[in-house]
Amino acid sequence: MDHHIFVGGGGPDYTEKQWLSLKYANRHGLVAGATGTGKTVTLQILAENFSNAGVPVFLTDVKGDLSGLAAAGSDTFKLHDAFTSRAEKIGFEDYSYDKFPVTFWDLFGEQGHPVRTTVAEMGPLLVSRLLELSEPQEGVVNIAFRVADEQGMPLLDLKDLQALLVWVGENRDELTLRYGNVSVGSIGAIQRRLLVLENQGGAMLFGEPALALSDIISTDSDGRGRINILASDKLMGAPRLYATFLLWLLSELFEELPEIGDPDKPKLVFFFDEAHLLFDGAPKPLVDKVEQVARLIRSKGVGIYFVTQNPSDVPEDVLSQLGNRIQHALRAFTARDRRRLKEAAETYRDNPRFDTGEAIREVGVGEAVTSMLQKKGIPGVVERTLIRPPSSKLGPISPSERAQVIATSHVAGKYEAKFDRQSAYEILRARADQAAKAAAEEEAREDELEIAEREYKAARRYSGTRVSRSTSRGRAKSDSFGSAMAQVVIKELKGTTGRRIVRGILGGLFKAR
């Protein structure tokens, strides 16, 4: 059974071993069930099995419990007797405790190595999805990306996109004629969404060095696949950021990995916990993209396993691509719950020994209804399965243990220091500085010309002292006499007689017309 991984025991007495074939593990899968039914432990044992088979794993740790994969279980643990009893019951003869090669990642850089991408790599569709933009606003983002490509302005982090949007707004008249309407209102709305994203810590996601896929698709010195754990407890506070990042990672795997057909085992297995967040409110183009990735990425050796509470959380077109299924208990308290339970049961190949719907409702914690792909990719008959116990520690490790794992990681020190090379923000700032400098120089030249003109005019103005002549005295007397007479006439005109004279003169003038 070297080409299979052991999931648990099935049959009437749970002694029939249930295997997941590595050859069909890239045909994707589903792990579903209500809260508290054992999905996390199932995720843990699947990661252990894939790692032992030399298959790297990427999974998200929403509650922090999966960090226990980095430490071995202990015979002093309170569930030790229960675990060994279960292993004996299902025929797990070589059950033992072990730890696994784990690499911790954290978008915020607190509980693992920082994980980043660039705005350009995420692309306009996912950026618009991340910001929850309307169609006109998404159009503006597409224009901004097009301008960045044409003018050679790399979009690496949020400030690059923010600066470029300002430039687009300033040149909107020209861009509208070329690409379509660019409104100030749309740009303002996008900038506000970017500010909200920045306040949520989203700026940590964008920048360099960006995550290299080779660092998550790797094995340790013993040939075991590395288990990459993304700390997601804090990230769940921004669910759209969480879902968009994981979708970006899937897209990168799809675009960069070569076609390898049907390998003997997957190149990488990707677990998407809280999968409903990917589809809640997602526009149809995005759902279509997920379906396309799910359909085609298996030929690149990548298996995707969606982890959610109910299979109906996943769209039918995507659900139909999921061949390996582990269904934990579903509760049916309402009419809607019963309908969803019936729909879930109808997707399995019936087992004559029991009713699938009743089995899904009745299985206990640590037990599941399973169906794995068999020869030629045919779905196996549904079976009630007792899930095997984990070999690693059940529950989270301590902060000091986590810090030790991070410090000794194969990528320690590679992503911790963020650098900022020349990109759109620096290019646009340099252009603005150059324009401001040219304007200042032009203003200085104009000031110099104005000063020179004033000095030229001042140099031609006569400023000498007038020379008095002998005739000036007589002219002065004459002027004094004329002034005195003028004052007498004005005083007289101000009187009653003067007003009559003026009215007479004016009256005669108008009559003459």
mmCIF file with all atom_site columns, all heavy atoms in Angstrom, residues 60 103 128 206 255 263 287 334 337 358 364 416 441 445 462 466 479 485 503:
data_model
loop_
_atom_site.group_PDB
_atom_site.id
_atom_site.type_symbol
_atom_site.label_atom_id
_atom_site.label_alt_id
_atom_site.label_comp_id
_atom_site.label_asym_id
_atom_site.label_entity_id
_atom_site.label_seq_id
_atom_site.pdbx_PDB_ins_code
_atom_site.Cartn_x
_atom_site.Cartn_y
_atom_site.Cartn_z
_atom_site.occupancy
_atom_site.B_iso_or_equiv
_atom_site.pdbx_formal_charge
_atom_site.auth_seq_id
_atom_site.auth_comp_id
_atom_site.auth_asym_id
_atom_site.auth_atom_id
_atom_site.pdbx_PDB_model_num
ATOM 1   N N   . THR A 1 60  ? -4.471  26.022  5.819   1.00 0.00 ? 60  THR A N   1
ATOM 2   C CA  . THR A 1 60  ? -4.719  27.199  6.654   1.00 0.00 ? 60  THR A CA  1
ATOM 3   C C   . THR A 1 60  ? -5.146  26.752  8.042   1.00 0.00 ? 60  THR A C   1
ATOM 4   O O   . THR A 1 60  ? -5.906  25.797  8.193   1.00 0.00 ? 60  THR A O   1
ATOM 5   C CB  . THR A 1 60  ? -5.816  28.077  6.038   1.00 0.00 ? 60  THR A CB  1
ATOM 6   O OG1 . THR A 1 60  ? -6.990  27.292  5.816   1.00 0.00 ? 60  THR A OG1 1
ATOM 7   C CG2 . THR A 1 60  ? -5.347  28.659  4.714   1.00 0.00 ? 60  THR A CG2 1
ATOM 8   N N   . THR A 1 103 ? 6.495   24.356  8.154   1.00 0.00 ? 103 THR A N   1
ATOM 9   C CA  . THR A 1 103 ? 6.917   25.733  7.920   1.00 0.00 ? 103 THR A CA  1
ATOM 10  C C   . THR A 1 103 ? 5.729   26.638  8.207   1.00 0.00 ? 103 THR A C   1
ATOM 11  O O   . THR A 1 103 ? 4.654   26.466  7.613   1.00 0.00 ? 103 THR A O   1
ATOM 12  C CB  . THR A 1 103 ? 7.384   25.956  6.469   1.00 0.00 ? 103 THR A CB  1
ATOM 13  O OG1 . THR A 1 103 ? 8.413   25.017  6.150   1.00 0.00 ? 103 THR A OG1 1
ATOM 14  C CG2 . THR A 1 103 ? 7.914   27.366  6.279   1.00 0.00 ? 103 THR A CG2 1
ATOM 15  N N   . SER A 1 128 ? -9.916  43.815  -7.557  1.00 0.00 ? 128 SER A N   1
ATOM 16  C CA  . SER A 1 128 ? -11.293 44.309  -7.520  1.00 0.00 ? 128 SER A CA  1
ATOM 17  C C   . SER A 1 128 ? -12.152 43.465  -6.586  1.00 0.00 ? 128 SER A C   1
ATOM 18  O O   . SER A 1 128 ? -13.000 43.987  -5.865  1.00 0.00 ? 128 SER A O   1
ATOM 19  C CB  . SER A 1 128 ? -11.887 44.303  -8.932  1.00 0.00 ? 128 SER A CB  1
ATOM 20  O OG  . SER A 1 128 ? -11.136 45.138  -9.801  1.00 0.00 ? 128 SER A OG  1
ATOM 21  N N   . PHE A 1 206 ? 1.203   43.013  0.356   1.00 0.00 ? 206 PHE A N   1
ATOM 22  C CA  . PHE A 1 206 ? 1.808   43.458  -0.897  1.00 0.00 ? 206 PHE A CA  1
ATOM 23  C C   . PHE A 1 206 ? 3.217   43.986  -0.680  1.00 0.00 ? 206 PHE A C   1
ATOM 24  O O   . PHE A 1 206 ? 3.455   44.786  0.233   1.00 0.00 ? 206 PHE A O   1
ATOM 25  C CB  . PHE A 1 206 ? 0.943   44.538  -1.538  1.00 0.00 ? 206 PHE A CB  1
ATOM 26  C CG  . PHE A 1 206 ? -0.436  44.071  -1.883  1.00 0.00 ? 206 PHE A CG  1
ATOM 27  C CD1 . PHE A 1 206 ? -1.525  44.429  -1.094  1.00 0.00 ? 206 PHE A CD1 1
ATOM 28  C CD2 . PHE A 1 206 ? -0.655  43.251  -2.974  1.00 0.00 ? 206 PHE A CD2 1
ATOM 29  C CE1 . PHE A 1 206 ? -2.791  43.992  -1.401  1.00 0.00 ? 206 PHE A CE1 1
ATOM 30  C CE2 . PHE A 1 206 ? -1.917  42.800  -3.285  1.00 0.00 ? 206 PHE A CE2 1
ATOM 31  C CZ  . PHE A 1 206 ? -2.990  43.174  -2.503  1.00 0.00 ? 206 PHE A CZ  1
ATOM 32  N N   . GLU A 1 255 ? -0.739  28.958  -13.089 1.00 0.00 ? 255 GLU A N   1
ATOM 33  C CA  . GLU A 1 255 ? -0.036  29.630  -14.176 1.00 0.00 ? 255 GLU A CA  1
ATOM 34  C C   . GLU A 1 255 ? 1.426   29.213  -14.278 1.00 0.00 ? 255 GLU A C   1
ATOM 35  O O   . GLU A 1 255 ? 1.989   29.181  -15.372 1.00 0.00 ? 255 GLU A O   1
ATOM 36  C CB  . GLU A 1 255 ? -0.132  31.147  -13.983 1.00 0.00 ? 255 GLU A CB  1
ATOM 37  C CG  . GLU A 1 255 ? -1.553  31.697  -14.171 1.00 0.00 ? 255 GLU A CG  1
ATOM 38  C CD  . GLU A 1 255 ? -1.650  33.175  -13.854 1.00 0.00 ? 255 GLU A CD  1
ATOM 39  O OE1 . GLU A 1 255 ? -0.584  33.782  -13.586 1.00 0.00 ? 255 GLU A OE1 1
ATOM 40  O OE2 . GLU A 1 255 ? -2.766  33.716  -13.874 1.00 0.00 ? 255 GLU A OE2 1
ATOM 41  N N   . PRO A 1 263 ? 0.199   12.142  -12.526 1.00 0.00 ? 263 PRO A N   1
ATOM 42  C CA  . PRO A 1 263 ? 1.377   11.621  -11.825 1.00 0.00 ? 263 PRO A CA  1
ATOM 43  C C   . PRO A 1 263 ? 1.005   10.495  -10.867 1.00 0.00 ? 263 PRO A C   1
ATOM 44  O O   . PRO A 1 263 ? -0.171  10.288  -10.536 1.00 0.00 ? 263 PRO A O   1
ATOM 45  C CB  . PRO A 1 263 ? 1.883   12.845  -11.063 1.00 0.00 ? 263 PRO A CB  1
ATOM 46  C CG  . PRO A 1 263 ? 0.651   13.649  -10.809 1.00 0.00 ? 263 PRO A CG  1
ATOM 47  C CD  . PRO A 1 263 ? -0.235  13.444  -12.000 1.00 0.00 ? 263 PRO A CD  1
ATOM 48  N N   . VAL A 1 287 ? -16.248 32.956  -9.884  1.00 0.00 ? 287 VAL A N   1
ATOM 49  C CA  . VAL A 1 287 ? -16.632 31.560  -9.676  1.00 0.00 ? 287 VAL A CA  1
ATOM 50  C C   . VAL A 1 287 ? -16.228 30.719  -10.883 1.00 0.00 ? 287 VAL A C   1
ATOM 51  O O   . VAL A 1 287 ? -15.751 29.590  -10.744 1.00 0.00 ? 287 VAL A O   1
ATOM 52  C CB  . VAL A 1 287 ? -18.148 31.453  -9.406  1.00 0.00 ? 287 VAL A CB  1
ATOM 53  C CG1 . VAL A 1 287 ? -18.562 29.995  -9.288  1.00 0.00 ? 287 VAL A CG1 1
ATOM 54  C CG2 . VAL A 1 287 ? -18.528 32.203  -8.134  1.00 0.00 ? 287 VAL A CG2 1
ATOM 55  N N   . THR A 1 334 ? -33.698 21.954  11.105  1.00 0.00 ? 334 THR A N   1
ATOM 56  C CA  . THR A 1 334 ? -34.728 22.699  10.400  1.00 0.00 ? 334 THR A CA  1
ATOM 57  C C   . THR A 1 334 ? -35.046 22.001  9.072   1.00 0.00 ? 334 THR A C   1
ATOM 58  O O   . THR A 1 334 ? -34.334 21.095  8.628   1.00 0.00 ? 334 THR A O   1
ATOM 59  C CB  . THR A 1 334 ? -34.270 24.142  10.117  1.00 0.00 ? 334 THR A CB  1
ATOM 60  O OG1 . THR A 1 334 ? -33.171 24.112  9.184   1.00 0.00 ? 334 THR A OG1 1
ATOM 61  C CG2 . THR A 1 334 ? -33.829 24.837  11.398  1.00 0.00 ? 334 THR A CG2 1
ATOM 62  N N   . ASP A 1 337 ? -32.205 22.408  6.769   1.00 0.00 ? 337 ASP A N   1
ATOM 63  C CA  . ASP A 1 337 ? -31.120 21.481  7.087   1.00 0.00 ? 337 ASP A CA  1
ATOM 64  C C   . ASP A 1 337 ? -31.405 20.091  6.529   1.00 0.00 ? 337 ASP A C   1
ATOM 65  O O   . ASP A 1 337 ? -30.500 19.416  6.027   1.00 0.00 ? 337 ASP A O   1
ATOM 66  C CB  . ASP A 1 337 ? -30.926 21.390  8.606   1.00 0.00 ? 337 ASP A CB  1
ATOM 67  C CG  . ASP A 1 337 ? -30.343 22.674  9.185   1.00 0.00 ? 337 ASP A CG  1
ATOM 68  O OD1 . ASP A 1 337 ? -29.750 23.450  8.417   1.00 0.00 ? 337 ASP A OD1 1
ATOM 69  O OD2 . ASP A 1 337 ? -30.494 22.885  10.396  1.00 0.00 ? 337 ASP A OD2 1
ATOM 70  N N   . GLU A 1 358 ? -29.131 8.852   6.763   1.00 0.00 ? 358 GLU A N   1
ATOM 71  C CA  . GLU A 1 358 ? -29.143 8.569   8.199   1.00 0.00 ? 358 GLU A CA  1
ATOM 72  C C   . GLU A 1 358 ? -27.732 8.446   8.755   1.00 0.00 ? 358 GLU A C   1
ATOM 73  O O   . GLU A 1 358 ? -27.449 8.875   9.878   1.00 0.00 ? 358 GLU A O   1
ATOM 74  C CB  . GLU A 1 358 ? -29.930 7.271   8.458   1.00 0.00 ? 358 GLU A CB  1
ATOM 75  C CG  . GLU A 1 358 ? -31.420 7.397   8.203   1.00 0.00 ? 358 GLU A CG  1
ATOM 76  C CD  . GLU A 1 358 ? -32.154 6.108   8.525   1.00 0.00 ? 358 GLU A CD  1
ATOM 77  O OE1 . GLU A 1 358 ? -31.490 5.156   8.996   1.00 0.00 ? 358 GLU A OE1 1
ATOM 78  O OE2 . GLU A 1 358 ? -33.381 6.053   8.316   1.00 0.00 ? 358 GLU A OE2 1
ATOM 79  N N   . GLY A 1 364 ? -20.615 9.740   14.817  1.00 0.00 ? 364 GLY A N   1
ATOM 80  C CA  . GLY A 1 364 ? -20.146 10.467  15.977  1.00 0.00 ? 364 GLY A CA  1
ATOM 81  C C   . GLY A 1 364 ? -18.870 11.251  15.699  1.00 0.00 ? 364 GLY A C   1
ATOM 82  O O   . GLY A 1 364 ? -18.351 11.273  14.573  1.00 0.00 ? 364 GLY A O   1
ATOM 83  N N   . GLU A 1 416 ? 11.875  37.930  6.021   1.00 0.00 ? 416 GLU A N   1
ATOM 84  C CA  . GLU A 1 416 ? 11.628  38.822  7.151   1.00 0.00 ? 416 GLU A CA  1
ATOM 85  C C   . GLU A 1 416 ? 11.850  40.297  6.800   1.00 0.00 ? 416 GLU A C   1
ATOM 86  O O   . GLU A 1 416 ? 11.079  41.162  7.206   1.00 0.00 ? 416 GLU A O   1
ATOM 87  C CB  . GLU A 1 416 ? 12.511  38.423  8.338   1.00 0.00 ? 416 GLU A CB  1
ATOM 88  C CG  . GLU A 1 416 ? 11.940  37.317  9.204   1.00 0.00 ? 416 GLU A CG  1
ATOM 89  C CD  . GLU A 1 416 ? 11.830  35.975  8.485   1.00 0.00 ? 416 GLU A CD  1
ATOM 90  O OE1 . GLU A 1 416 ? 12.555  35.774  7.476   1.00 0.00 ? 416 GLU A OE1 1
ATOM 91  O OE2 . GLU A 1 416 ? 11.031  35.131  8.911   1.00 0.00 ? 416 GLU A OE2 1
ATOM 92  N N   . GLU A 1 441 ? 12.094  76.736  -11.760 1.00 0.00 ? 441 GLU A N   1
ATOM 93  C CA  . GLU A 1 441 ? 13.103  77.391  -12.596 1.00 0.00 ? 441 GLU A CA  1
ATOM 94  C C   . GLU A 1 441 ? 12.457  78.389  -13.546 1.00 0.00 ? 441 GLU A C   1
ATOM 95  O O   . GLU A 1 441 ? 12.984  79.485  -13.760 1.00 0.00 ? 441 GLU A O   1
ATOM 96  C CB  . GLU A 1 441 ? 13.881  76.333  -13.380 1.00 0.00 ? 441 GLU A CB  1
ATOM 97  C CG  . GLU A 1 441 ? 14.778  75.457  -12.507 1.00 0.00 ? 441 GLU A CG  1
ATOM 98  C CD  . GLU A 1 441 ? 15.438  74.350  -13.301 1.00 0.00 ? 441 GLU A CD  1
ATOM 99  O OE1 . GLU A 1 441 ? 15.068  74.179  -14.479 1.00 0.00 ? 441 GLU A OE1 1
ATOM 100 O OE2 . GLU A 1 441 ? 16.306  73.659  -12.743 1.00 0.00 ? 441 GLU A OE2 1
ATOM 101 N N   . ARG A 1 445 ? 13.067  82.434  -13.691 1.00 0.00 ? 445 ARG A N   1
ATOM 102 C CA  . ARG A 1 445 ? 13.421  83.173  -14.902 1.00 0.00 ? 445 ARG A CA  1
ATOM 103 C C   . ARG A 1 445 ? 12.467  84.336  -15.138 1.00 0.00 ? 445 ARG A C   1
ATOM 104 O O   . ARG A 1 445 ? 12.891  85.445  -15.510 1.00 0.00 ? 445 ARG A O   1
ATOM 105 C CB  . ARG A 1 445 ? 13.418  82.232  -16.103 1.00 0.00 ? 445 ARG A CB  1
ATOM 106 C CG  . ARG A 1 445 ? 14.623  81.324  -16.188 1.00 0.00 ? 445 ARG A CG  1
ATOM 107 C CD  . ARG A 1 445 ? 14.747  80.668  -17.554 1.00 0.00 ? 445 ARG A CD  1
ATOM 108 N NE  . ARG A 1 445 ? 13.625  79.797  -17.851 1.00 0.00 ? 445 ARG A NE  1
ATOM 109 C CZ  . ARG A 1 445 ? 13.607  78.514  -17.548 1.00 0.00 ? 445 ARG A CZ  1
ATOM 110 N NH1 . ARG A 1 445 ? 14.644  77.950  -16.940 1.00 0.00 ? 445 ARG A NH1 1
ATOM 111 N NH2 . ARG A 1 445 ? 12.559  77.778  -17.865 1.00 0.00 ? 445 ARG A NH2 1
ATOM 112 N N   . TYR A 1 462 ? 13.674  110.592 -15.856 1.00 0.00 ? 462 TYR A N   1
ATOM 113 C CA  . TYR A 1 462 ? 14.428  111.809 -15.480 1.00 0.00 ? 462 TYR A CA  1
ATOM 114 C C   . TYR A 1 462 ? 14.259  112.061 -14.001 1.00 0.00 ? 462 TYR A C   1
ATOM 115 O O   . TYR A 1 462 ? 13.146  112.086 -13.492 1.00 0.00 ? 462 TYR A O   1
ATOM 116 C CB  . TYR A 1 462 ? 13.908  113.043 -16.278 1.00 0.00 ? 462 TYR A CB  1
ATOM 117 C CG  . TYR A 1 462 ? 14.652  114.319 -15.943 1.00 0.00 ? 462 TYR A CG  1
ATOM 118 C CD1 . TYR A 1 462 ? 15.895  114.557 -16.448 1.00 0.00 ? 462 TYR A CD1 1
ATOM 119 C CD2 . TYR A 1 462 ? 14.054  115.236 -15.077 1.00 0.00 ? 462 TYR A CD2 1
ATOM 120 C CE1 . TYR A 1 462 ? 16.577  115.707 -16.139 1.00 0.00 ? 462 TYR A CE1 1
ATOM 121 C CE2 . TYR A 1 462 ? 14.729  116.407 -14.772 1.00 0.00 ? 462 TYR A CE2 1
ATOM 122 C CZ  . TYR A 1 462 ? 15.982  116.645 -15.303 1.00 0.00 ? 462 TYR A CZ  1
ATOM 123 O OH  . TYR A 1 462 ? 16.662  117.806 -15.000 1.00 0.00 ? 462 TYR A OH  1
ATOM 124 N N   . ARG A 1 466 ? 14.611  120.631 -11.108 1.00 0.00 ? 466 ARG A N   1
ATOM 125 C CA  . ARG A 1 466 ? 14.250  121.669 -12.079 1.00 0.00 ? 466 ARG A CA  1
ATOM 126 C C   . ARG A 1 466 ? 14.970  122.983 -11.727 1.00 0.00 ? 466 ARG A C   1
ATOM 127 O O   . ARG A 1 466 ? 14.986  123.396 -10.578 1.00 0.00 ? 466 ARG A O   1
ATOM 128 C CB  . ARG A 1 466 ? 12.743  121.894 -12.070 1.00 0.00 ? 466 ARG A CB  1
ATOM 129 C CG  . ARG A 1 466 ? 12.268  122.919 -13.119 1.00 0.00 ? 466 ARG A CG  1
ATOM 130 C CD  . ARG A 1 466 ? 10.768  123.051 -13.052 1.00 0.00 ? 466 ARG A CD  1
ATOM 131 N NE  . ARG A 1 466 ? 10.120  121.838 -13.448 1.00 0.00 ? 466 ARG A NE  1
ATOM 132 C CZ  . ARG A 1 466 ? 9.879   121.504 -14.720 1.00 0.00 ? 466 ARG A CZ  1
ATOM 133 N NH1 . ARG A 1 466 ? 10.241  122.303 -15.706 1.00 0.00 ? 466 ARG A NH1 1
ATOM 134 N NH2 . ARG A 1 466 ? 9.288   120.379 -15.012 1.00 0.00 ? 466 ARG A NH2 1
ATOM 135 N N   . ASP A 1 479 ? -0.389  132.677 -11.916 1.00 0.00 ? 479 ASP A N   1
ATOM 136 C CA  . ASP A 1 479 ? -1.089  131.466 -11.503 1.00 0.00 ? 479 ASP A CA  1
ATOM 137 C C   . ASP A 1 479 ? -1.845  131.670 -10.208 1.00 0.00 ? 479 ASP A C   1
ATOM 138 O O   . ASP A 1 479 ? -2.957  131.174 -10.042 1.00 0.00 ? 479 ASP A O   1
ATOM 139 C CB  . ASP A 1 479 ? -0.092  130.321 -11.353 1.00 0.00 ? 479 ASP A CB  1
ATOM 140 C CG  . ASP A 1 479 ? 0.490   129.900 -12.704 1.00 0.00 ? 479 ASP A CG  1
ATOM 141 O OD1 . ASP A 1 479 ? -0.119  130.280 -13.718 1.00 0.00 ? 479 ASP A OD1 1
ATOM 142 O OD2 . ASP A 1 479 ? 1.518   129.190 -12.700 1.00 0.00 ? 479 ASP A OD2 1
ATOM 143 N N   . MET A 1 485 ? -9.343  133.656 -8.577  1.00 0.00 ? 485 MET A N   1
ATOM 144 C CA  . MET A 1 485 ? -10.560 133.914 -9.339  1.00 0.00 ? 485 MET A CA  1
ATOM 145 C C   . MET A 1 485 ? -11.402 132.638 -9.484  1.00 0.00 ? 485 MET A C   1
ATOM 146 O O   . MET A 1 485 ? -12.631 132.669 -9.408  1.00 0.00 ? 485 MET A O   1
ATOM 147 C CB  . MET A 1 485 ? -10.203 134.469 -10.722 1.00 0.00 ? 485 MET A CB  1
ATOM 148 C CG  . MET A 1 485 ? -9.683  135.909 -10.677 1.00 0.00 ? 485 MET A CG  1
ATOM 149 S SD  . MET A 1 485 ? -10.902 137.073 -10.036 1.00 0.00 ? 485 MET A SD  1
ATOM 150 C CE  . MET A 1 485 ? -12.157 136.958 -11.307 1.00 0.00 ? 485 MET A CE  1
ATOM 151 N N   . ARG A 1 503 ? -28.789 125.583 -14.464 1.00 0.00 ? 503 ARG A N   1
ATOM 152 C CA  . ARG A 1 503 ? -30.009 125.002 -15.013 1.00 0.00 ? 503 ARG A CA  1
ATOM 153 C C   . ARG A 1 503 ? -30.377 125.650 -16.318 1.00 0.00 ? 503 ARG A C   1
ATOM 154 O O   . ARG A 1 503 ? -30.822 125.011 -17.267 1.00 0.00 ? 503 ARG A O   1
ATOM 155 C CB  . ARG A 1 503 ? -31.159 125.160 -14.013 1.00 0.00 ? 503 ARG A CB  1
ATOM 156 C CG  . ARG A 1 503 ? -31.105 124.177 -12.851 1.00 0.00 ? 503 ARG A CG  1
ATOM 157 C CD  . ARG A 1 503 ? -32.474 124.066 -12.192 1.00 0.00 ? 503 ARG A CD  1
ATOM 158 N NE  . ARG A 1 503 ? -32.914 125.360 -11.651 1.00 0.00 ? 503 ARG A NE  1
ATOM 159 C CZ  . ARG A 1 503 ? -32.645 125.771 -10.394 1.00 0.00 ? 503 ARG A CZ  1
ATOM 160 N NH1 . ARG A 1 503 ? -31.948 125.007 -9.570  1.00 0.00 ? 503 ARG A NH1 1
ATOM 161 N NH2 . ARG A 1 503 ? -33.077 126.944 -9.969  1.00 0.00 ? 503 ARG A NH2 1
#
